[in-house]
Amino acid sequence: MSKRLFGAIPGIIEGQTFENRVELSLSLVHRPRQAGISGSQAEGADSIVLSGGYEDDLDLETVIVYTGHGGAFRSSP
């Protein structure tokens, strides 16, 4: 059984901000403390962090263009 969380996380509200990746990890919003994308090929991505590390990343609110971790990944609702 997967430990990944998909969907709403109890106690976390949309738009909530976090001081750093340790807080994200402890809150279960984004478990990896370094990687910008969390997921697996079988299950998909459960979280993506845009931290300004890749100049081509875009956050358009309803669409994310993530260019880190070896290529482009596009996510939308």
Side-chain angles (χ1 to χ4, degrees):
M1 181 160 173
S2 175
K3 293 182 180 182
R4 299 188 190 287
L5 295 173
F6 292 89
I9 299 173
I12 304 299
I13 57 172
E14 186 175 334
Q16 186 170 336
T17 60
F18 298 85
E19 188 66 30
N20 53 45
R21 287 180 183 244
V22 172
E23 283 189 10
L24 284 171
S25 183
L26 293 174
S27 69
L28 306 180
V29 170
H30 185 78
R31 290 178 188 232
R33 293 192 178 179
Q34 288 189 331
I37 190 165
S38 173
S40 71
Q41 187 172 359
E43 296 176 294
D46 58 315
S47 63
I48 300 172
V49 171
L50 301 179
S51 62
Y54 299 99
E55 64 183 48
D56 294 334
D57 285 354
L58 294 175
D59 182 353
L60 306 173
E61 294 186 24
T62 60
V63 174
I64 292 172
V65 178
Y66 179 83
T67 59
H69 201 70
F73 176 82
R74 185 178 181 102
S75 173
S76 61

